[in-house]
Amino acid sequence: MRLDKFISLMKERGFEGALISPGTNLYYLTGLQIHEAGERLTVLVVSADGDYRLLAPSLYENVMRNLPAIFWRDGENPYEKLAWILAEFELSSGKLLVENTMRADWLINILRIGNRGFEFHPLSSVIRELRMRKDAKEITHMKHSAKVVDRVFEELLSWDLLGMRESELALKIELRIRELSDGISFEPIVASGENAANPHHAPGKRRLRKGDLVILDYGAKWKGYYSDITRTIALGKPNEKLVEIYEVVKDAQEKAYRTVRAGVKAKEVDAAAREVISAAGYGEYFTHRTGHGLGLDVHEEPYIGPDGEVILENGMTFTIEPGIYLPGLGGARIEDDVAVIDGRGKRLTRAERELVIL
Ligand code: CO
Ligand code: CO
């Protein structure tokens, strides 16, 4: 069980315990998915001795039967109950892991329940080692998620794109992803013409027109696991400069992909993409890292950037997404999801990468 694995790793690293609030880490460790905990304290207390207990609001009493739990009712002080659990687990000092995304008001109240000698550390510092290495089942979910976005790309090429507003196209993409999967990984990006010079452009009222390069960046979710794809298409023949940057980005993406193998550092993959773009004279217009880990979160470790010291291993999954952005003119980005399998990189997203001119 993942929780047991986590507990032994935590112990090995000298941690006394962990406080895990709802989110993808809690889901990863226990399968428990909690929507809208809101302000009501919900936390899994884990001790390095192997004990764990969920503290949750009583409104969840009927849905949480597979974990040892203590419930609190509205009107009660949940922090008193938390103090009680900590005492029971003999957690009073030492290194304690805390979920990175825990609400600040919870953490402040936890600090108040006693002047303990805890030294807090982010949960990610330990759990990353488990989360980064996906097992076969996780990769299967990611493959499915990737298939959905490939299919949406193939379909959208036959939609009547000319004259469509960016926001309308984004909505249509979202709808189709929702029909085919468990949901979207983020609101789709549709950036056309000069808007494509902004890597995270929010789709707006601009209508797609002839000569545009259009960046489409979107993702699906399957059994909790995300995909994240970017394709750049042309409506009619774009100007030569735009075709040129597209080809450079495509080469950079391919070079980076071919660099992926077990034993290589993440930053070497980043450097491969960066070298191609710099050699073509566009280095200063590639304004972000080459990619990011992908899984239960859209952005997770390992990050594929100039400072990426993680050594790639089998089971790691991440994006490769170089881009070039020319202010006032437009931009191009190509993003695939890649898994390290049998020591080599394997693309999970496989949609057409040659420039599609509609
Ligand atoms: Co993306
Ligand atoms: Co991405």
Side-chain angles (χ1 to χ4, degrees):
M1 190 188 167
R2 283 182 183 154
L3 193 52
D4 297 326
K5 230 175 166 178
F6 168 72
I7 291 170
S8 54
L9 184 61
M10 187 173 91
K11 197 170 177 172
E12 208 180 295
R13 296 292 144 83
F15 288 92
E16 302 296 328
L19 300 177
I20 308 175
S21 47
T24 53
N25 287 321
L26 184 65
Y27 176 72
Y28 177 81
L29 292 174
T30 67
L32 199 60
Q33 217 163 6
I34 297 172
H35 297 289
E36 298 297 323
E39 72 289 358
R40 290 185 174 101
L41 181 69
T42 309
V43 62
L44 179 71
V45 185
V46 183
S47 136
D49 293 335
D51 296 320
Y52 50 89
R53 188 97 74 247
L54 182 76
L55 177 64
S58 58
L59 72 162
Y60 288 125
E61 216 155 337
N62 293 329
V63 290
M64 292 178 190
R65 298 190 181 278
N66 54 352
L67 278 176
I70 288 180
F71 296 98
W72 61 275
R73 288 178 176 276
D74 287 344
E76 286 181 323
N77 181 354
Y79 297 93
E80 280 173 10
K81 294 204 164 177
L82 178 61
W84 188 78
I85 297 172
L86 292 173
E88 190 199 343
F89 287 179
E90 295 178 347
L91 283 171
S92 58
S93 64
K95 285 161 69 180
L96 195 69
L97 292 163
V98 178
E99 164 60 45
N100 296 42
T101 62
M102 183 182 281
R103 288 172 59 118
D105 55 343
W106 295 5
L107 192 57
I108 289 165
N109 282 319
I110 288 169
L111 287 164
R112 277 184 187 149
I113 58 178
N115 198 4
R116 299 166 190 280
F118 286 130
E119 184 191 307
F120 292 101
H121 291 261
L123 177 62
S124 61
S125 61
V126 170
I127 206 169
R128 64 194 284 276
E129 294 174 44
L130 303 177
R131 293 261 316 250
M132 267 198 297
R133 300 175 180 97
K134 270 80 176 169
D135 62 26
K137 198 167 166 192
E138 293 179 285
I139 298 219
T140 303
H141 294 334
M142 295 194 63
K143 277 183 182 163
H144 185 93
S145 195
K147 272 214 170 88
V148 169
V149 293
D150 281 350
R151 180 166 164 191
V152 171
F153 182 70
E154 217 178 284
E155 289 184 10
L156 70 84
L157 294 178
S158 67
W159 297 348
D160 204 4
L161 299 179
L162 215 58
M164 198 184 281
R165 292 189 195 278
E166 291 176 346
S167 54
E168 190 188 343
L169 177 52
L171 195 62
K172 283 182 69 127
I173 290 172
E174 175 170 346
L175 200 68
R176 197 63 188 121
I177 295 171
R178 288 186 184 278
E179 282 167 355
L180 296 170
S181 69
D182 291 340
I184 54 170
S185 33
F186 50 86
E187 284 185 30
I189 294 171
V190 175
S192 65
E194 64 276 8
N195 290 343
N198 173 5
H200 276 177
H201 171 71
K205 297 240 181 291
R206 189 182 184 282
R207 292 184 189 277
L208 310 191
R209 20 179 210 269
K210 269 215 151 68
D212 281 353
L213 275 191
V214 185
I215 294 179
L216 307 166
D217 186 350
Y218 57 90
K221 184 179 180 173
W222 186 252
K223 311 260 185 223
Y225 289 83
Y226 290 119
S227 55
D228 180 7
I229 193 173
T230 304
R231 287 294 183 268
T232 303
I233 58 173
L235 295 184
K237 208 170 158 41
N239 82 39
E240 273 171 39
K241 192 92 178 159
L242 292 175
V243 175
E244 186 192 323
I245 63 167
Y246 184 90
E247 293 303 324
V248 173
V249 167
K250 196 185 76 184
D251 288 351
Q253 209 258 2
E254 182 64 24
K255 259 286 182 31
Y257 171 65
R258 285 171 186 272
T259 307
V260 175
R261 65 192 62 216
V264 154
K265 280 187 177 179
K267 66 179 181 187
E268 295 176 63
V269 177
D270 179 81
R274 218 161 283 285
E275 269 163 33
V276 172
I277 293 175
S278 297
Y282 294 105
E284 63 175 301
Y285 302 105
F286 175 23
T287 47
H288 53 76
R289 62 188 172 218
T290 296
H292 52 83
L294 185 71
L296 288 171
D297 286 306
V298 181
H299 286 184
E300 58 178 53
E301 302 214 48
Y303 291 99
I304 313 297
D307 55 350
E309 296 292 340
V310 171
I311 296 167
L312 301 182
E313 285 177 39
N314 282 326
M316 290 189 178
T317 51
F318 47 86
T319 69
I320 297 184
E321 49 176 311
I324 296 175
Y325 311 95
L326 303 177
L329 195 61
R333 177 167 71 254
I334 301 173
E335 172 178 33
D336 280 317
D337 304 342
V338 173
V340 185
I341 295 172
D342 296 331
R344 310 294 288 254
K346 186 174 162 44
R347 279 190 171 98
L348 304 182
T349 43
R350 319 188 67 116
E352 180 62 59
R353 287 188 307 281
E354 292 298 324
L355 181 59
V356 177
I357 301 178
L358 295 174

